[in-house]
């Protein structure tokens, strides 16, 4: 329905433009998740060629980059192209000071890839120096030890270390966003990915509010936002140009 599409788009715009940007501190969990650009499967099931698999394994053993397998069909070629649409949502969550209450504040960022340059820029903008940061073993977060107390959990071996290092709150954010991607929206696109991610960040932060408090918080943001700049006149051809706040 056109009216519902424009209305929900305007609400997400409010959550993006009026999002909380207070610097996080204390115990922080950070993780990245892949969204958009998912491969589509055609009517014919395509199985991997054993020779291609063997060549890839041998390349990895030699420390080389595995050879890129050539697409064997038009459908496969389209899927290779779809990978260019893949984006990384980085979620940064501050643990509640009272143990057992989960995370209290959530921030998100969108990147083309999850590397040290992107991680360093995002964390420096959103987290107070000296905070305790917990991540997985991804090497993108290793340089953060220069400014923060950085600890990691090796997910290849365990979900949490013996002394409690984990990123369960970051993972829980992705579990709900992923279910929405597949079950509610049946896919997301890069152009409005930040909007959807920010909506779920807001949902997480107000999850302990009463329904009345949630409505009051939303209306406070609406009245602080003014007229819509992205969705006013959408069905007359006025669209937002490009993606929003993607970090390269």
């Amino acid at each position: 329905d056109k009216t519902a599409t424009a209305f929900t788009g305007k609400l997400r715009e409010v959550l993006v433009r009026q999002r909380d940007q207070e610097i996080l501190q204390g115990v922080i969990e950070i993780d990245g998740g892949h969204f958009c650009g998912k491969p589509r499967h055609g009517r014919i099931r395509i199985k991997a060629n054993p020779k291609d698999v063997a060549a890839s394994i041998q390349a990895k053993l030699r420390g080389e980059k595995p050879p890129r397998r050539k697409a064997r069909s038009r459908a496969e070629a389209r899927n290779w192209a779809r990978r260019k649409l893949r984006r990384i949502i980085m979620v940064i969550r501050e643990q509640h000071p009272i143990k057992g209450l989960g995370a209290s504040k959530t921030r998100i960022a969108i990147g083309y890839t999850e590397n040290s340059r992107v991680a360093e820029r995002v964390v420096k903008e959103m987290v107070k120096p000296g905070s305790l940061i917990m991540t997985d073993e991804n090497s993108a977060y290793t340089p953060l030890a220069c400014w923060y107390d950085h600890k990691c959990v090796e997910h290849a071996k365990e979900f949490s270390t013996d002394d409690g290092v984990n990123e369960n709150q970051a993972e829980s954010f992705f579990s709900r966003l992923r279910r929405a991607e597949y079950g509610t929206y049946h896919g997301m696109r890069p152009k409005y990915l930040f909007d959807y991610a920010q909506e779920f960040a807001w949902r997480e932060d107000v999850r302990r509010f009463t329904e009345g408090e949630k409505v009051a918080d939303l209306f406070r943001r609406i009245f602080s936002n003014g007229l819509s700049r992205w969705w006013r006149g959408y069905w007359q051809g006025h669209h937002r140009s490009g993606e929003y706040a993607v970090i390269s």
Side-chain angles (χ1 to χ4, degrees):
D1 182 83
K2 290 185 175 182
T3 301
T5 299
F7 180 67
T8 53
K10 290 176 180 178
L11 290 180
R12 292 190 187 101
E13 177 185 350
V14 166
L15 295 177
V16 169
R17 291 188 173 277
Q18 301 299 320
R19 65 188 182 276
D20 299 326
Q21 300 191 61
E22 179 185 354
I23 300 298
L24 305 184
Q25 59 183 330
V27 182
I28 310 296
E29 297 182 23
I30 303 174
D31 196 16
H34 294 194
F35 288 81
C36 303
K38 301 294 189 303
R40 289 179 176 173
H41 303 289
R43 64 180 182 83
I44 300 175
R45 184 171 182 175
I46 301 172
K47 296 183 178 180
N49 188 323
K51 292 183 179 180
D52 293 336
V53 175
S56 178
I57 293 174
Q58 290 298 323
K60 289 181 179 180
L61 291 175
R62 293 192 300 267
E64 302 173 358
K65 187 175 181 180
R68 180 173 175 176
R69 182 172 60 84
K70 294 182 180 179
R72 294 195 297 269
S73 68
R74 291 183 179 179
E76 282 189 286
R78 286 195 295 269
N79 278 338
W80 281 112
R82 283 180 59 79
R83 292 191 180 187
K84 295 180 180 179
L85 300 176
R86 188 175 69 175
R87 300 290 183 269
I88 306 296
I89 294 180
M90 289 186 63
V91 62
I92 302 92
R93 306 198 73 187
E94 179 183 306
Q95 286 189 1
H96 197 286
I98 301 177
K99 189 174 181 180
L101 293 184
S104 57
K105 299 175 184 177
T106 308
R107 305 288 184 267
I108 59 101
I110 308 291
Y112 291 109
T113 184
E114 189 178 11
N115 58 29
S116 58
R117 183 182 67 256
V118 173
E120 181 180 330
R121 177 180 170 184
V122 169
V123 176
K124 281 185 174 181
E125 288 180 358
M126 299 185 180
V127 182
K128 184 178 180 180
S131 300
L132 170 59
I133 289 181
M134 299 192 293
T135 69
D136 58 20
E137 68 272 31
N138 191 324
S139 60
Y141 304 111
T142 303
L144 296 178
C146 297
W147 306 278
Y148 303 91
D149 180 9
H150 177 229
K151 297 182 180 180
C152 71
V153 54
E154 193 172 352
H155 276 171
K157 296 180 179 179
E158 56 191 355
F159 295 109
S160 177
T161 65
D162 292 337
D163 56 350
V165 176
N166 67 82
E167 50 170 18
N168 293 340
Q169 298 305 314
E171 295 283 359
S172 69
F173 173 84
F174 283 131
S175 69
R176 282 180 275 275
L177 185 58
R178 190 79 67 192
R179 287 185 177 91
E181 179 188 25
Y182 286 116
T184 303
Y185 305 119
H186 301 287
M188 296 176 179
R189 303 295 179 268
K191 185 173 182 179
Y192 293 105
L193 183 60
F194 192 98
D195 305 49
Y196 284 106
Q198 183 57 43
E199 174 194 346
F200 276 80
W202 177 80
R203 286 173 182 253
E204 291 288 342
D205 290 349
V206 301
R207 68 190 184 281
R208 298 185 187 279
F209 287 17
T210 65
E211 294 304 313
E213 290 171 336
K214 292 177 184 178
V215 172
D217 180 83
L218 186 57
F219 269 92
R220 175 181 61 80
R221 297 172 193 268
I222 290 173
F223 292 132
S224 300
N225 191 65
L227 295 175
S228 171
R229 281 163 274 182
W230 296 339
W231 289 88
R232 185 160 48 104
Y234 180 85
W235 295 110
Q236 288 73 42
H238 177 74
H239 296 176
R240 184 172 79 190
S241 59
E243 302 174 48
Y244 181 82
V246 180
I247 300 172
S248 58

